[in-house]
Amino acid sequence: MQKRRWRSLGLLRRLLTCAICSIALVALLSVHVCLFPSSKVSMLPDAYKLPAQHEIGYQKLRSERSWTREFAPLHLSKAPLPSRKLDGASGILDTDKLWKPPSNRDYEHCVEPSLSYTYPGESQRYLLVHTNGGLNQMRAGICDMVAVARIINATLVIPELDKRSFWQDTSNFSDVFDEDRFINSLVNDVKVIKKLPKELATATRAVKHFRSWSGIDYYQEEIVSMWADYQVIRAAKSDSRLANNNLPPDIQKLRCRACYEALRFSPRIEAMGKLLVERMRSYGPYIALHLRYEKDMLAFSGCTHDLSPDEADELRTIRENTAYWKVKDIDSAEQRAKGYCPLTPKEVGMFLTALGFPSSTPIYIAAGEIYGGDSHMADLQARYPILMNKEKLMPVEELEPFINHATQLAALDYIVSVESDIFIPSYSGNMARAVEGHRRFLGHRKTISPDRKALVHLFDKIQQGALKEGKNLSNRIIEIHKRRQGSPRKRKGPISGTKGTDRFRSEEAFYVNPLPDCLCRKESPNVNTSVIVG
């Protein structure tokens, strides 16, 4: 009897234990569902989310291709862990090496004026400036005109931005740049005013095309002599009107102060640019890729590799109908073989893969609308799914004020590119050169400049079946680009044997590399002061 009672108590105890365990398990599962939602729900902060109505808004806002409309894949909403790639037989992990910037070799800013530099005197002579080209062409021209105003002792009127270029942008100076900062920052160098005095509004003015790549003698003699007959001189163009080299040190330093200290973007653009940088950083270290594969670039350069016959015909028609593009008949294959064409998105993907960047690498596309959209972006998108741009990172209400203002959109790309961990341009145009120079000025941040001529030779071998993607190609491309990553070097002079305009044209532009004029090496005992090529 007693044994039966103990057996019953044991059974009851086991039943109670099972019941308690079942209740605990149900409770645990309930908590798990609340705390760890499905991976289909985005984990991005609210500022990064694009509700469904925003996606609809994009379609109404502009007829972009789908790759530009899609936001970040939800499963990649957190910063991905970088893949670890083995460095050949050595077995050394080289992920960190991929992102490591070149040594700045102790170079630092040296833009302060010399002891003999004087404050600007009172001047009743005025320089009007009509800038020309896109954002970065205008930026360089504005900074050069600051130096010219100093040389000819003129009061500079806030420059007029180009509204007639390919982009047809109606933006004024204050829409793109911080006007007050520009004026105040240059107070010890050049007097800058917002408008010409009323009494001179109807005065006769000289309209002058300043000679390209001119030295100080040209301005001090030919231009200064015009003050005898005119109180106002209007510079009809601003691009490349000042020599890159052989100018007084104080003038060169002034150009740097104007470009990197005085000429800042408007507060609205600066704030939005910084927000874009923060959103890119949420994915981890990122590459800013200046993908110059837009309709205007391809039409201007005559580069039609990998395009359909209809696309090539469209670009040819644009080139023929654009009056100020002087060269009409272009051999695309010859251009490409010489390295004069931008890399295609597919070629960029092959290049990045060969360098060793894993597929989890976040990439910001600094560009306008890519010609052909999906049809030309598919290969790059497949290799690197975290492919971002303004349209993906900005909700429609944030982007809307900048739409139809190509200069302001380009300014956003400029900020994200300058602040990137690595900058890679697919073509050495004005944007690429300006960003490279700015990154050099800020401490030689890593900038990889593709050797397009060498690359297309290798890519053609792959297309012909004579070479395959893999270790052999990777080793060759890495070797080619060891000294093309933005390390300190002096600005390149003219190509030997060139003369006249061609000689000046062959020089490396001042704003591509401000060394030695605006960067000086700290004096350190027992340190080799040689400058390496980068």
Side-chain angles (χ1 to χ4, degrees), residues 107-114 243-257 260 441 444 489-492 508-521:
Y107 278 94
E108 59 185 7
H109 306 162
C110 52
V111 297
E112 294 303 313
S114 67
N244 294 304
N245 304 303
N246 302 317
L247 292 173
D250 273 329
I251 293 299
Q252 297 289 59
K253 293 180 187 299
L254 173 56
R255 294 169 86 178
C256 286
R257 291 200 298 276
Y260 304 123
F441 184 79
H444 293 91
R489 60 169 174 77
K490 290 184 179 180
R491 191 166 57 255
K492 296 174 184 176
E508 187 172 27
F510 178 83
Y511 298 105
V512 176
N513 184 5
L515 194 159
D517 309 276
C518 304
L519 293 170
C520 305
R521 192 165 185 187

Side-chain angles (χ1 to χ4, degrees), residues 250-363:
D250 273 329
I251 293 299
Q252 297 289 59
K253 293 180 187 299
L254 173 56
R255 294 169 86 178
C256 286
R257 291 200 298 276
C259 189
Y260 304 123
E261 295 179 1
L263 193 63
R264 296 283 178 85
F265 293 118
S266 67
R268 184 184 65 165
I269 291 175
E270 286 280 346
M272 188 55 64
K274 289 176 182 176
L275 186 57
L276 284 170
V277 171
E278 289 176 9
R279 291 175 182 177
M280 278 307 300
R281 291 239 180 271
S282 72
Y283 295 88
Y286 71 93
I287 293 173
L289 172 63
H290 182 46
L291 191 58
R292 198 68 169 95
Y293 207 73
E294 300 130 326
K295 183 183 290 187
D296 66 297
M297 180 67 239
L298 297 176
F300 174 76
S301 63
C303 296
T304 59
H305 178 72
D306 264 358
L307 298 182
S308 69
D310 287 344
E311 289 172 329
D313 286 342
E314 180 186 22
L315 297 177
R316 183 165 46 252
T317 300
I318 293 172
R319 186 170 66 254
E320 290 172 352
N321 293 339
T322 305
Y324 52 88
W325 290 352
K326 303 302 181 185
V327 182
K328 304 298 182 182
D329 188 17
I330 298 176
D331 185 327
S332 176
E334 183 179 332
Q335 284 280 96
R336 182 170 175 273
K338 291 180 178 178
Y340 296 161
C341 289
L343 296 176
T344 68
K346 180 179 180 180
E347 290 170 341
V348 169
M350 295 167 68
F351 175 59
L352 294 176
T353 300
L355 288 177
F357 288 100
S359 61
S360 59
T361 303
I363 300 175

Side-chain angles (χ1 to χ4, degrees), residues 51-62:
Q53 63 265 33
H54 291 166
E55 296 171 2
I56 296 170
Y58 271 115
Q59 296 172 7
K60 294 179 180 179
L61 195 58
R62 63 193 303 190

